Amino acid sequence: MANDGILFIGFNQDSECFMCGLEDGYRIYNTDPLKENAREDGGGVKHVEMLYRCNYVGIVGGGKNPKYPRNKAIVWDDYQKKVAISLEFKIEVLSIKLRRDRIAVVFEKFIKVYSFSQTPQFMHVFDTYANPGGLCCLCSHSTNSYLAYPSDKKPGWVEKVDLFNTEKPSVKIEAHDNPVSCMAMSNDGTKLATASTKGTLIRVFETEGGTLLHELRRGANSANIFCINFNKQASKLCVSSDHGTVHVFMLDSPEKNSRSSLANATFLPKYFQSKWSSFKFEVNNHSKFICAFSQNLDQHSIIALCSDGTYYKYLLDNANDTKSCQLESCTKFLELGSR
């Protein structure tokens, strides 16, 4: 997500931290409470990837004056303040994903997987559909090693492979009719959520076999989905879009999601059968933004990060089964004019 001088904003695997790629380096923050944890100045960074809170940071150069050549994927050791791994290619790298034993490097039409070691060994390559956004989900949990990406078989399809057992056939998921624009995997790798360029539906699949678990309707009008995020238990889902709203869906208690009164009428289109969000709220900011559930002790708040450097914290109303929320705090995590 690039805008207003920020080239990238993203959360780490458990949303306890978030990263910003800038025209002059990157920043890493604790999410809640908000605190800057690390920074590196000098040169543009278009993608930053953490591995939970460990000292390794994945970096892809970008912007007007890239920190590293655009055809390199870098793993930076923030403790020793030096490059730990540098992978060079003939074409531009779009993004990088990390788990403790693997590095996934994403290009526009394929993904290359390497061992995460002092001398990385090439292990696999997977073809993708045209993927200019560098979409890819890599489960970092110890019990699953799933990699999910836009399938090259057909627009709107998603493919999942098990990096522990690549001889096993991949799972092909017919997720949408339009190309996939956003995707997210639960922290334990058991659920996969996707949205298409149309942006009206979010579908949640069981990752092992690709079974559809939930069809969730964000709205009736098309939208650009900025992000999808599960909470830690994968029981809730939050979604942000260019309509300036955050939608919250209950996955373990679907009866708490709204549904049309005509949902059971078999003669009507599927539109009426989809589950609508339990509730939604507006983020009063005209910039692009992403959202995630706070991993603080109560886990009853949502954090929104905007590309103008604004941080919002919304407190969910537990007394009413999180049917509403209120703005608890608003501050700047980055003053773009004074870097």
Side-chain angles (χ1 to χ4, degrees):
M1 185 181 69
N3 197 25
D4 300 320
I6 294 179
L7 302 179
F8 172 84
I9 308 178
F11 291 98
N12 73 339
Q13 288 87 350
D14 55 14
S15 300
E16 290 190 356
C17 297
F18 68 92
M19 312 80 70
C20 291
L22 309 169
E23 287 285 0
D24 61 350
Y26 71 83
R27 308 286 187 271
I28 292 176
Y29 300 85
N30 188 76
T31 302
D32 188 19
L34 175 64
K35 179 185 177 182
E36 183 178 304
N37 287 344
R39 65 161 59 197
E40 281 294 323
D41 297 321
V45 174
K46 73 175 181 183
H47 186 87
V48 191
E49 177 79 0
M50 293 180 69
L51 181 56
Y52 293 100
R53 288 179 175 269
C54 87
N55 53 303
Y56 291 114
V57 181
I59 299 174
V60 180
K64 299 173 184 176
N65 181 31
K67 185 175 182 68
Y68 300 104
R70 299 176 190 271
N71 64 329
K72 284 189 175 184
I74 301 295
V75 177
W76 174 261
D77 186 333
D78 191 62
Y79 179 75
Q80 298 191 41
K81 300 298 180 183
K82 68 177 186 178
V83 173
I85 296 171
S86 177
L87 298 171
E88 185 173 354
F89 306 92
K90 294 181 179 179
I91 60 175
E92 181 178 358
V93 176
L94 299 182
S95 64
I96 180 173
K97 299 291 183 180
L98 304 177
R99 56 174 283 133
R100 289 181 174 86
D101 54 2
R102 296 290 185 272
I103 301 170
V105 184
V106 186
F107 304 87
E108 185 170 3
K109 292 188 177 180
F110 58 90
I111 297 171
K112 287 190 171 184
V113 178
Y114 294 82
S115 62
F116 196 150
S117 54
Q118 189 171 6
T119 306
Q121 301 297 310
F122 170 73
M123 304 189 74
H124 316 287
V125 61
F126 303 102
D127 293 329
T128 69
Y129 187 72
N131 187 19
L135 298 180
C136 171
C137 293
L138 177 62
C139 179
S140 55
H141 200 271
S142 59
T143 57
N144 287 317
S145 60
Y146 297 146
L147 177 75
Y149 51 88
S151 175
D152 67 332
K153 302 300 185 260
K154 190 176 180 181
W157 287 27
V158 173
E159 204 153 343
K160 183 228 67 177
V161 294
D162 186 345
L163 296 181
F164 283 168
N165 185 10
T166 53
E167 294 182 0
K168 183 180 178 180
S170 65
V171 174
K172 298 172 182 62
I173 302 172
E174 300 179 30
H176 302 275
D177 294 329
N178 298 293
V180 175
S181 66
C182 192
M183 56 195 303
M185 191 177 289
S186 61
N187 192 40
D188 62 2
T190 60
K191 294 176 182 176
L192 178 70
T194 64
S196 76
T197 52
K198 189 175 181 181
T200 54
L201 290 174
I202 293 87
R203 291 191 170 102
V204 181
F205 301 91
E206 175 264 323
T207 316
E208 173 65 26
T211 302
L212 177 65
L213 299 175
H214 306 278
E215 184 174 279
L216 310 171
R217 182 165 291 278
R218 183 212 54 80
N221 299 318
S222 296
N224 180 13
I225 303 297
F226 293 147
C227 90
I228 303 171
N229 262 314
F230 291 91
N231 69 338
K232 188 174 183 179
Q233 294 83 3
S235 60
K236 302 176 186 176
L237 196 70
C238 61
V239 179
S240 69
S241 74
D242 62 355
H243 287 213
T245 55
V246 172
H247 288 252
V248 178
F249 299 91
M250 306 299 174
L251 303 182
D252 283 0
S253 303
E255 68 278 1
K256 295 179 182 179
N257 296 321
S258 302
R259 201 175 184 193
S260 170
S261 59
L262 300 175
N264 295 322
T266 57
F267 57 88
L268 291 175
K270 286 182 66 179
Y271 170 86
F272 293 95
Q273 301 174 25
S274 304
K275 298 166 188 173
W276 295 68
S277 55
S278 175
F279 74 98
K280 67 178 181 178
F281 60 90
E282 292 187 359
V283 175
N284 295 318
N285 190 297
H286 297 294
S287 300
K288 296 179 179 179
F289 68 97
I290 62 174
C291 61
F293 294 94
S294 170
Q295 299 303 318
N296 213 336
L297 292 178
D298 56 15
Q299 280 200 20
H300 299 309
S301 56
I302 289 179
I303 309 298
L305 308 172
C306 303
S307 60
D308 68 349
T310 307
Y311 170 104
Y312 294 92
K313 182 177 180 179
Y314 295 88
L315 186 65
L316 305 183
D317 184 358
N318 295 322
N320 293 312
D321 292 326
T322 65
K323 287 288 186 180
S324 63
C325 70
Q326 62 182 3
L327 179 62
E328 183 179 81
S329 62
C330 173
T331 188
K332 285 282 189 179
F333 65 85
L334 186 67
E335 294 290 347
L336 293 173
S338 59
R339 297 201 308 274

